[in-house]
Each structure stands twice: as structure tokens, then as C-alpha cells.
Amino acid sequence: MSYLFDTAIKSGQQEILDWYNYSLEFESRVDALTADGRIKDKTARSKIYKEMKPFLPAKITQDNLRKKTLRARKHLTLFGKNGVGIDKIKLVSYSATEISKLTNAQIQNVIDQVKKYISDHQCHVTLKTVPSGNDQIKVEVSTSANVLSSQPNPKYTRSYFRDKTLN
């Protein structure tokens, strides 16, 4: 976990994936410690932070580690099991920092919008802007039209016009 945390800070290209992996591993570790019910969630988290601290740079305090872990958890929420899926990480134009600043309501809004379009289409998802002080996020979804090749002129189907409108 310490390696994933350190890599996430330094990495440019795979930063979102690294934060996702760090959070996934961290939450798995918390689940393992709390599974028997003897250790509470908060105690398990503190224990993990203390175990990680010696392997991290000296400038990382335990409070800083806790805050970064909470931010990384947003990556797990967005791309994890109940989110948009890990395969969408490379389609997002937000930086890892911008994702970590999203509110839970904004993340849920993105998940809902993406799932709505993905259920019918193969989509390319790009997060564009977050209006300040608002829980709504603008999600630009450009679809790759899945038009049946058996149609004589697939350019003018209902899907074609819907995709044009969405774009």
C-alpha cells in the first residue's frame, strides 16, 4: 500500500489509476481487519496509517495521509464496483486532483449520467466543468453509433440523429 501511495503522488499518466488501486487496497485492508467485529472501522484505519507511516516520506504526516486517503476514496467510488467502471479511467479528462475535490453528490451525478448512456450505447465519457457551489457536473458523452450494418442507409437512423444531438 505504501508503494501505491508513493507512486500515486509521483505518477503523471496513471495517477487516477494509482489512487484507485491505493484506495481499493486500503479499503480491502480495512475490511479484513474489521471482518471479525472486534476492531471498529476508525481503529482499523488508524492502525493501517501507523503501519504505513515509516515507509512514507517524512513530510507526510498521519493527518495528511488520512486526508489523501479520503480523497483517493473518491476515485474508488467513481470507478469502483458501483461506479462507472475501471475501464473508464482512461476516458476521463479530469485530473486526479479535480476528481478528489468532487462532492459525493457530484460523483453520484456522474455515475448516474454515465450509466444512463452506457446502458444503450458504447460511450466515450469526458468530464468537463464543475460549476462552483453546485452539485451538478457537466458530463459530455459522445457515443459511437452502434448502427446495424444490415440497414440500407444507416446514416439517417434514429440513432444517428440522437447521437448528433448528444454531441
Side-chain angles (χ1 to χ4, degrees):
M1 283 190 313
S2 298
Y3 170 77
L4 291 172
F5 182 85
D6 193 42
T7 303
I9 292 173
K10 296 176 184 174
S11 177
Q13 275 186 340
Q14 292 190 333
E15 188 174 9
I16 293 171
L17 183 60
D18 289 338
W19 283 118
Y20 169 86
N21 286 330
Y22 166 73
S23 185
L24 182 65
E25 182 68 25
F26 188 90
E27 294 303 322
S28 296
R29 188 83 191 271
V30 169
D31 290 345
L33 289 173
T34 59
D36 62 3
R38 292 186 302 165
I39 298 176
K40 296 196 183 293
D41 187 80
K42 188 174 180 180
T43 307
R45 291 176 188 281
S46 294
K47 183 177 179 177
I48 296 169
Y49 294 145
K50 287 177 186 173
E51 289 174 2
M52 289 176 60
K53 183 70 176 98
F55 300 101
L56 298 173
K59 66 180 181 179
I60 303 289
T61 65
Q62 188 163 334
D63 189 49
N64 189 310
L65 176 59
R66 182 186 60 77
K67 288 177 185 176
K68 288 185 180 295
T69 301
L70 286 173
R71 290 182 189 136
R73 198 178 200 180
K74 293 186 179 185
H75 294 89
L76 183 63
T77 302
L78 182 58
F79 299 107
K81 183 171 44 173
N82 296 322
V84 297
I86 194 169
D87 59 317
K88 304 296 183 287
I89 287 177
K90 293 185 179 185
L91 303 177
V92 175
S93 64
Y94 260 20
S95 71
T97 303
E98 290 171 319
I99 291 172
S100 69
K101 291 179 182 177
L102 296 175
T103 66
N104 290 337
Q106 289 172 325
I107 290 172
Q108 189 57 51
N109 181 31
V110 171
I111 292 169
D112 293 344
Q113 288 183 46
V114 170
K115 283 186 175 182
K116 176 183 168 187
Y117 291 107
I118 289 178
S119 64
D120 295 332
H121 306 90
Q122 185 175 3
C123 296
H124 172 79
V125 180
T126 308
L127 302 181
K128 285 294 186 187
T129 57
V130 180
S132 59
N134 190 345
D135 282 344
Q136 297 300 312
I137 254 186
K138 180 180 176 187
V139 178
E140 181 182 291
V141 181
S142 58
T143 61
S144 304
N146 288 339
V147 182
L148 297 174
S149 59
S150 62
Q151 296 175 345
N153 194 354
K155 201 171 204 180
Y156 301 107
T157 63
R158 174 185 248 170
S159 296
Y160 171 79
F161 289 110
R162 181 185 57 235
D163 293 344
K164 280 295 190 186
T165 303
L166 287 172
N167 285 336

